[in-house]
Amino acid sequence: GACTQFIAGHCAYLDISKLHCCKVLPAVFFGEDWSTGLETAWQASGAEGILTIPNYGQWTSKHKEHRLNSWRGVEGQVCDGRLWRFEAWECLRTPCHEVIHLVQHIAEQRMSTQVAEHDGAFSTYLLMIAIAATATEGIDSAVARAVAPYYYPGAIEEALLESVEYVARVLRGESKAELYAAQRSNYERWRDAFGTCDMRDVWGQQRNFGGELSVENLCKNFLALEAVIADGAVIEASAAVPTAHAMLDTMFEARTGQLDEVPVQVREAVRLAGISSADRV
């Protein structure tokens, strides 16, 4: 709700009534081995206007094990307490990614996975910090009142930590070092074009990161962090709201139809092109 209210409050060029009709529903459980990943995932269906969230109350040891195996920043044994802490962070940041997929449908955009996931990843932390700013800066709005209880002091920093640790391990050569070395130039090419360039020569005809989830996760984690880092520090709360507005305008203002290989009018506040990803992070 806070995500849709924030977007609706700025994007007058969108059909806001459709955005307000979107629903949040818990995942349906099938209880099969093949369904475990779906039952632990956050997913957006733009055509249905539904954001599906994990139904934590029905999780079994199988679901917890699946999530621990996908926890990017930590390797080895992790206790239940740390897992649930991680899931608390997911509740702060992941809706800020998935809501973008709902808006893409409302804006009548058509795109490949590499474009859709670029915009979702870019929004993950930037929109989260902007929403938090409305809750902590004394702004009297429906958004602020809805999210204020969740943004206690340090909540934003905690939500960033897992991705920060993941990227730090990559840059130190402790995890995914070969993958990063192989994909760094591809990542920066994708990032610099705001996701829309033709990457079929390296990521395949399906435009889906070559079908490699490890490549997709690497690229999305780096982008989510780069979007909120300036001069070696996380963006200040006072700058997050106008920067998030610039991001939304870049993604959605006068931008509809097929997006692949169509140049993007990137607002200056969210331009990352030409910066080394390693240096920035």
Side-chain angles (χ1 to χ4, degrees), residues 14 47 86:
L14 294 174
F86 169 78

Side-chain angles (χ1 to χ4, degrees), residues 208-270:
N208 64 347
F209 303 94
E212 296 290 338
L213 189 59
S214 59
V215 174
E216 181 177 340
N217 284 340
L218 180 82
C219 292
K220 292 190 324 189
N221 270 275
F222 267 85
L223 184 64
L225 282 180
E226 283 202 85
V228 295
I229 292 175
D231 301 322
V234 175
I235 189 171
E236 295 288 340
S238 58
V241 171
T243 304
H245 288 164
M247 174 195 73
L248 293 170
D249 291 341
T250 297
M251 291 178 181
F252 299 116
E253 188 172 22
R255 193 168 178 239
T256 191
Q258 179 56 246
L259 303 186
D260 284 270
E261 298 177 51
V262 177
V264 184
Q265 184 183 348
V266 182
R267 277 43 172 193
E268 190 60 35
V270 292

Side-chain angles (χ1 to χ4, degrees), residues 53-89:
I53 64 174
N55 189 344
Y56 293 118
Q58 293 191 32
W59 276 23
T60 65
S61 58
K62 181 173 62 175
H63 297 91
K64 291 190 285 186
E65 181 180 1
H66 178 86
R67 285 300 278 167
L68 289 176
N69 288 336
S70 65
W71 194 347
R72 297 171 294 269
V74 176
E75 297 177 2
Q77 293 295 316
V78 177
C79 67
D80 279 5
R82 293 190 70 189
L83 169 65
W84 294 124
R85 194 63 175 155
F86 169 78
E87 294 303 324
W89 300 336

